[in-house]
Amino acid sequence: MKVYLLSLAVGLLVGVIYSVLNVRSPAPPLVALVGLLGILAGEQIVPVARQMIAGHGLAAAWRQAKCAPHMFGMLPGRDDAGSPERSARVNAPEKHS
């Protein structure tokens, strides 16, 4: 969740700077988001194609190229049992007040 808040904060800061400089953002928000989606999807074409050339089906190639974690990251509210953050929380000594 910290990454999302940091991303929002940086976005707000850039928006304030644009406003102070009286500059419009380079693209309307929807166009920019569609462009970002294209970038993320485009980054996955080569790894998936390599897996498919190696003889794997599309679903297996998608999984082996780890596209879903790259495309969506760790979604808020999801807790990955193997994540370093979770391990730190689980293994941290309890604080008693």
Side-chain angles (χ1 to χ4, degrees):
M1 189 64 155
K2 291 178 188 177
V3 172
Y4 294 95
L5 293 175
L6 180 61
S7 179
L8 177 62
V10 170
L12 288 171
L13 177 63
V14 170
V16 168
I17 292 170
Y18 277 16
S19 180
V20 168
L21 296 175
N22 200 22
V23 174
R24 297 282 302 161
S25 63
L30 184 58
V31 172
L33 290 175
V34 170
L36 286 172
L37 178 61
I39 290 169
L40 285 172
E43 287 178 340
Q44 300 309 304
I45 290 172
V46 173
V48 170
R50 285 184 183 148
Q51 293 294 327
M52 291 181 73
I53 290 170
H56 301 284
L58 179 60
W62 177 271
R63 281 191 306 275
Q64 289 178 355
K66 297 183 176 145
C67 293
H70 179 79
M71 292 281 288
F72 304 111
M74 188 63 175
L75 298 175
R78 305 279 311 258
D79 198 9
D80 182 13
S83 74
E85 289 180 11
R86 183 180 190 285
S87 297
R89 287 191 311 265
V90 169
N91 297 327
E94 291 185 27
K95 294 180 183 177
H96 298 285
S97 298

